[in-house]
Amino acid sequence: MHFPDHGDDVDILVQRASIALRIAQQSSKGYATYESSFDKNTPLRLTLISELRHAIERDGLELYYQPKVSIKSGEIIGVEALLRWIHPAHGVIPPDEFVPIAERNRMINPLTHWVLRRAFRDCANWHKQGFPVKVSVNLSAKDLHDPELPDLISGVAVSSNIKPSWIILEITESSVMSEPENALGIIKRLHGMGYQFSIDDFGTGYSSLAYLKKLPLSEIKIDKGFVMDILNSENDAAIVKATINLGHNLGLTVTAEGVESKEIMTRLMDFSCDVAQGYFLSKPVTFKELNQWISDSRWKIADHNSSLTAFAGLLN
Ligand code: C2E
Ligand code: CA
Ligand code: CA
């Protein structure tokens, strides 16, 4: 890399150095000097990167919330915060498309900080209104490598007046396994402060059960890939059932994501699954929409057993 020929901004230099690194890894020489021809999409990609940075700094992001419903009581017991980028030209951009850009370009720290501030603020607001909901926040693998994460989270908690026990931090098996010792240290510190942990996309990673046992978990979320096919695939049904039993034997709450129909919901009930999340119950909604339900008391389904359809009717 040559400064300032290859960029006069540290983020652009790091981005281009990583492109040169990828080229070096593919070449027989074992090294490479950055050239603009390495990166055909440079202008577009760099525009997106700087637009994302702008969105994080200027509130161009939005948090949606998807209800998590207790299968036994029918109540909304929690919500998962799901990030959206409201782009002025491209409209709503889903997180799968821009979180990886943030991860690659050293923006995950301000991005996660924004999510925590917004989610904790909304959580405090709901508790004040008498809606005792737990808010789940997704953490990226990069967050679990940041030794300052526990201090960052506790700072946001203090300034937004929330209790750690109101928050569930969602991590994935692969995000823990990429640097297990560091991640475990950070997770244990946060757990000691009162935060709960959930393993997201359970069943899709390569983690060892021995390692999972070391994590201070409260919840397992079965990946929607298994749940959505539970009616058509005996294998998926067996995996879901076995995961529910495994979770219960480890003393964990088991949540199924991707619950798209009443039939899936009924099957999960038969399997004694604890919590359901999915389009059958509700798609992710804005803070305002969720507030409307709260003021209509629609989060509490009094006589759930009488009718399963109550879920769809009440929540959508
Ligand atoms: P995830 O954590 O597994 O989130 C669940 C995804 O499934 C969400 O997609 C949600 O909208 C979608 N979903 C919910 N119910 C159903 C259903 O019944 N059927 C189907 N087919 N899909 C359903 P979304 O919002 O696009 O988020 C995608 C991923 O982006 C998330 O997957 C999560 O890994 C990541 N993500 C979202 N918000 C954040 C965030 O604040 N920070 C970080 N680091 N990652 C985030
Ligand atoms: Ca999640
Ligand atoms: Ca998931």
Side-chain angles (χ1 to χ4, degrees), residues 221-240:
K221 292 185 88 171
I222 309 177
D223 189 64
K224 56 178 176 292
F226 300 114
V227 176
M228 282 159 60
D229 275 342
I230 194 177
L231 302 172
N232 308 319
S233 155
E234 279 183 25
N235 280 343
D236 284 356
I239 289 169
V240 168

PDB file of all heavy atoms in Angstrom, residues 221-240:
ATOM      1  N   LYS A 221     -32.328 -21.195  19.768  1.00  0.00           N
ATOM      2  CA  LYS A 221     -33.287 -20.893  18.701  1.00  0.00           C
ATOM      3  C   LYS A 221     -33.045 -21.855  17.555  1.00  0.00           C
ATOM      4  O   LYS A 221     -31.967 -21.830  16.935  1.00  0.00           O
ATOM      5  CB  LYS A 221     -33.130 -19.448  18.212  1.00  0.00           C
ATOM      6  CG  LYS A 221     -33.543 -18.452  19.259  1.00  0.00           C
ATOM      7  CD  LYS A 221     -33.508 -17.044  18.727  1.00  0.00           C
ATOM      8  CE  LYS A 221     -34.808 -16.664  18.083  1.00  0.00           C
ATOM      9  NZ  LYS A 221     -34.839 -15.218  17.752  1.00  0.00           N
ATOM     10  N   ILE A 222     -34.032 -22.693  17.276  1.00  0.00           N
ATOM     11  CA  ILE A 222     -33.862 -23.674  16.197  1.00  0.00           C
ATOM     12  C   ILE A 222     -33.967 -22.942  14.866  1.00  0.00           C
ATOM     13  O   ILE A 222     -34.916 -22.181  14.642  1.00  0.00           O
ATOM     14  CB  ILE A 222     -34.934 -24.772  16.258  1.00  0.00           C
ATOM     15  CG1 ILE A 222     -35.013 -25.365  17.669  1.00  0.00           C
ATOM     16  CG2 ILE A 222     -34.637 -25.860  15.234  1.00  0.00           C
ATOM     17  CD1 ILE A 222     -36.105 -26.416  17.814  1.00  0.00           C
ATOM     18  N   ASP A 223     -33.019 -23.174  14.012  1.00  0.00           N
ATOM     19  CA  ASP A 223     -32.966 -22.456  12.736  1.00  0.00           C
ATOM     20  C   ASP A 223     -34.232 -22.683  11.908  1.00  0.00           C
ATOM     21  O   ASP A 223     -34.770 -23.788  11.855  1.00  0.00           O
ATOM     22  CB  ASP A 223     -31.738 -22.910  11.943  1.00  0.00           C
ATOM     23  CG  ASP A 223     -31.543 -22.039  10.725  1.00  0.00           C
ATOM     24  OD1 ASP A 223     -31.291 -20.836  10.907  1.00  0.00           O
ATOM     25  OD2 ASP A 223     -31.693 -22.535   9.587  1.00  0.00           O
ATOM     26  N   LYS A 224     -34.652 -21.609  11.234  1.00  0.00           N
ATOM     27  CA  LYS A 224     -35.901 -21.687  10.472  1.00  0.00           C
ATOM     28  C   LYS A 224     -35.830 -22.699   9.333  1.00  0.00           C
ATOM     29  O   LYS A 224     -36.838 -23.239   8.915  1.00  0.00           O
ATOM     30  CB  LYS A 224     -36.340 -20.316   9.973  1.00  0.00           C
ATOM     31  CG  LYS A 224     -35.362 -19.550   9.131  1.00  0.00           C
ATOM     32  CD  LYS A 224     -36.014 -18.235   8.696  1.00  0.00           C
ATOM     33  CE  LYS A 224     -35.080 -17.339   7.924  1.00  0.00           C
ATOM     34  NZ  LYS A 224     -33.965 -16.791   8.728  1.00  0.00           N
ATOM     35  N   GLY A 225     -34.623 -22.984   8.857  1.00  0.00           N
ATOM     36  CA  GLY A 225     -34.457 -23.984   7.799  1.00  0.00           C
ATOM     37  C   GLY A 225     -35.033 -25.339   8.199  1.00  0.00           C
ATOM     38  O   GLY A 225     -35.618 -26.045   7.363  1.00  0.00           O
ATOM     39  N   PHE A 226     -34.895 -25.708   9.469  1.00  0.00           N
ATOM     40  CA  PHE A 226     -35.464 -26.989   9.940  1.00  0.00           C
ATOM     41  C   PHE A 226     -36.961 -26.850  10.204  1.00  0.00           C
ATOM     42  O   PHE A 226     -37.749 -27.718   9.873  1.00  0.00           O
ATOM     43  CB  PHE A 226     -34.778 -27.434  11.237  1.00  0.00           C
ATOM     44  CG  PHE A 226     -33.296 -27.636  11.100  1.00  0.00           C
ATOM     45  CD1 PHE A 226     -32.395 -26.804  11.771  1.00  0.00           C
ATOM     46  CD2 PHE A 226     -32.791 -28.653  10.299  1.00  0.00           C
ATOM     47  CE1 PHE A 226     -31.027 -26.980  11.630  1.00  0.00           C
ATOM     48  CE2 PHE A 226     -31.421 -28.840  10.166  1.00  0.00           C
ATOM     49  CZ  PHE A 226     -30.533 -27.996  10.830  1.00  0.00           C
ATOM     50  N   VAL A 227     -37.320 -25.716  10.834  1.00  0.00           N
ATOM     51  CA  VAL A 227     -38.706 -25.537  11.289  1.00  0.00           C
ATOM     52  C   VAL A 227     -39.670 -25.455  10.098  1.00  0.00           C
ATOM     53  O   VAL A 227     -40.738 -26.068  10.104  1.00  0.00           O
ATOM     54  CB  VAL A 227     -38.816 -24.270  12.169  1.00  0.00           C
ATOM     55  CG1 VAL A 227     -40.259 -24.011  12.567  1.00  0.00           C
ATOM     56  CG2 VAL A 227     -37.921 -24.395  13.396  1.00  0.00           C
ATOM     57  N   MET A 228     -39.258 -24.734   9.054  1.00  0.00           N
ATOM     58  CA  MET A 228     -40.153 -24.510   7.924  1.00  0.00           C
ATOM     59  C   MET A 228     -40.519 -25.809   7.201  1.00  0.00           C
ATOM     60  O   MET A 228     -41.570 -25.894   6.576  1.00  0.00           O
ATOM     61  CB  MET A 228     -39.508 -23.520   6.940  1.00  0.00           C
ATOM     62  CG  MET A 228     -39.624 -22.088   7.422  1.00  0.00           C
ATOM     63  SD  MET A 228     -38.437 -20.962   6.682  1.00  0.00           S
ATOM     64  CE  MET A 228     -38.839 -21.097   4.989  1.00  0.00           C
ATOM     65  N   ASP A 229     -39.631 -26.821   7.303  1.00  0.00           N
ATOM     66  CA  ASP A 229     -39.862 -28.083   6.584  1.00  0.00           C
ATOM     67  C   ASP A 229     -40.367 -29.204   7.474  1.00  0.00           C
ATOM     68  O   ASP A 229     -40.411 -30.364   7.070  1.00  0.00           O
ATOM     69  CB  ASP A 229     -38.559 -28.530   5.902  1.00  0.00           C
ATOM     70  CG  ASP A 229     -38.412 -27.867   4.555  1.00  0.00           C
ATOM     71  OD1 ASP A 229     -39.439 -27.376   4.047  1.00  0.00           O
ATOM     72  OD2 ASP A 229     -37.288 -27.823   4.028  1.00  0.00           O
ATOM     73  N   ILE A 230     -40.738 -28.859   8.671  1.00  0.00           N
ATOM     74  CA  ILE A 230     -41.084 -29.855   9.677  1.00  0.00           C
ATOM     75  C   ILE A 230     -42.259 -30.748   9.236  1.00  0.00           C
ATOM     76  O   ILE A 230     -42.363 -31.909   9.619  1.00  0.00           O
ATOM     77  CB  ILE A 230     -41.415 -29.094  10.997  1.00  0.00           C
ATOM     78  CG1 ILE A 230     -41.458 -29.961  12.213  1.00  0.00           C
ATOM     79  CG2 ILE A 230     -42.693 -28.380  10.895  1.00  0.00           C
ATOM     80  CD1 ILE A 230     -41.729 -29.106  13.466  1.00  0.00           C
ATOM     81  N   LEU A 231     -43.143 -30.222   8.374  1.00  0.00           N
ATOM     82  CA  LEU A 231     -44.318 -30.994   7.960  1.00  0.00           C
ATOM     83  C   LEU A 231     -44.006 -31.906   6.778  1.00  0.00           C
ATOM     84  O   LEU A 231     -44.640 -32.930   6.587  1.00  0.00           O
ATOM     85  CB  LEU A 231     -45.480 -30.060   7.578  1.00  0.00           C
ATOM     86  CG  LEU A 231     -45.935 -29.102   8.672  1.00  0.00           C
ATOM     87  CD1 LEU A 231     -46.945 -28.109   8.116  1.00  0.00           C
ATOM     88  CD2 LEU A 231     -46.530 -29.847   9.857  1.00  0.00           C
ATOM     89  N   ASN A 232     -42.999 -31.526   5.985  1.00  0.00           N
ATOM     90  CA  ASN A 232     -42.703 -32.299   4.772  1.00  0.00           C
ATOM     91  C   ASN A 232     -41.532 -33.249   4.933  1.00  0.00           C
ATOM     92  O   ASN A 232     -41.393 -34.194   4.174  1.00  0.00           O
ATOM     93  CB  ASN A 232     -42.376 -31.351   3.598  1.00  0.00           C
ATOM     94  CG  ASN A 232     -43.444 -30.305   3.426  1.00  0.00           C
ATOM     95  OD1 ASN A 232     -44.617 -30.629   3.545  1.00  0.00           O
ATOM     96  ND2 ASN A 232     -43.054 -29.065   3.182  1.00  0.00           N
ATOM     97  N   SER A 233     -40.653 -32.945   5.877  1.00  0.00           N
ATOM     98  CA  SER A 233     -39.452 -33.757   5.992  1.00  0.00           C
ATOM     99  C   SER A 233     -39.399 -34.436   7.358  1.00  0.00           C
ATOM    100  O   SER A 233     -39.372 -33.771   8.390  1.00  0.00           O
ATOM    101  CB  SER A 233     -38.219 -32.865   5.791  1.00  0.00           C
ATOM    102  OG  SER A 233     -37.101 -33.426   6.428  1.00  0.00           O
ATOM    103  N   GLU A 234     -39.411 -35.759   7.329  1.00  0.00           N
ATOM    104  CA  GLU A 234     -39.341 -36.494   8.598  1.00  0.00           C
ATOM    105  C   GLU A 234     -38.022 -36.239   9.299  1.00  0.00           C
ATOM    106  O   GLU A 234     -37.951 -36.202  10.520  1.00  0.00           O
ATOM    107  CB  GLU A 234     -39.509 -37.991   8.352  1.00  0.00           C
ATOM    108  CG  GLU A 234     -40.968 -38.361   8.205  1.00  0.00           C
ATOM    109  CD  GLU A 234     -41.169 -39.851   8.022  1.00  0.00           C
ATOM    110  OE1 GLU A 234     -40.302 -40.628   8.463  1.00  0.00           O
ATOM    111  OE2 GLU A 234     -42.194 -40.217   7.415  1.00  0.00           O
ATOM    112  N   ASN A 235     -36.975 -36.066   8.483  1.00  0.00           N
ATOM    113  CA  ASN A 235     -35.665 -35.793   9.089  1.00  0.00           C
ATOM    114  C   ASN A 235     -35.679 -34.475   9.845  1.00  0.00           C
ATOM    115  O   ASN A 235     -35.186 -34.390  10.968  1.00  0.00           O
ATOM    116  CB  ASN A 235     -34.581 -35.717   8.009  1.00  0.00           C
ATOM    117  CG  ASN A 235     -34.149 -37.096   7.575  1.00  0.00           C
ATOM    118  OD1 ASN A 235     -34.422 -38.065   8.283  1.00  0.00           O
ATOM    119  ND2 ASN A 235     -33.505 -37.178   6.426  1.00  0.00           N
ATOM    120  N   ASP A 236     -36.252 -33.446   9.207  1.00  0.00           N
ATOM    121  CA  ASP A 236     -36.291 -32.142   9.874  1.00  0.00           C
ATOM    122  C   ASP A 236     -37.157 -32.205  11.130  1.00  0.00           C
ATOM    123  O   ASP A 236     -36.816 -31.619  12.155  1.00  0.00           O
ATOM    124  CB  ASP A 236     -36.786 -31.056   8.913  1.00  0.00           C
ATOM    125  CG  ASP A 236     -35.700 -30.659   7.913  1.00  0.00           C
ATOM    126  OD1 ASP A 236     -34.574 -31.186   8.038  1.00  0.00           O
ATOM    127  OD2 ASP A 236     -35.969 -29.835   7.023  1.00  0.00           O
ATOM    128  N   ALA A 237     -38.263 -32.935  11.042  1.00  0.00           N
ATOM    129  CA  ALA A 237     -39.120 -33.074  12.226  1.00  0.00           C
ATOM    130  C   ALA A 237     -38.338 -33.752  13.349  1.00  0.00           C
ATOM    131  O   ALA A 237     -38.414 -33.337  14.517  1.00  0.00           O
ATOM    132  CB  ALA A 237     -40.375 -33.861  11.875  1.00  0.00           C
ATOM    133  N   ALA A 238     -37.558 -34.783  12.986  1.00  0.00           N
ATOM    134  CA  ALA A 238     -36.787 -35.503  14.010  1.00  0.00           C
ATOM    135  C   ALA A 238     -35.721 -34.589  14.617  1.00  0.00           C
ATOM    136  O   ALA A 238     -35.488 -34.606  15.835  1.00  0.00           O
ATOM    137  CB  ALA A 238     -36.137 -36.741  13.391  1.00  0.00           C
ATOM    138  N   ILE A 239     -35.102 -33.762  13.771  1.00  0.00           N
ATOM    139  CA  ILE A 239     -34.064 -32.842  14.269  1.00  0.00           C
ATOM    140  C   ILE A 239     -34.689 -31.821  15.226  1.00  0.00           C
ATOM    141  O   ILE A 239     -34.152 -31.545  16.298  1.00  0.00           O
ATOM    142  CB  ILE A 239     -33.355 -32.126  13.089  1.00  0.00           C
ATOM    143  CG1 ILE A 239     -32.465 -33.118  12.335  1.00  0.00           C
ATOM    144  CG2 ILE A 239     -32.512 -30.943  13.586  1.00  0.00           C
ATOM    145  CD1 ILE A 239     -31.922 -32.599  11.016  1.00  0.00           C
ATOM    146  N   VAL A 240     -35.841 -31.285  14.829  1.00  0.00           N
ATOM    147  CA  VAL A 240     -36.499 -30.285  15.677  1.00  0.00           C
ATOM    148  C   VAL A 240     -36.888 -30.904  17.024  1.00  0.00           C
ATOM    149  O   VAL A 240     -36.621 -30.344  18.088  1.00  0.00           O
ATOM    150  CB  VAL A 240     -37.739 -29.683  14.951  1.00  0.00           C
ATOM    151  CG1 VAL A 240     -38.595 -28.866  15.895  1.00  0.00           C
ATOM    152  CG2 VAL A 240     -37.275 -28.816  13.774  1.00  0.00           C
TER     153      VAL A 240
END
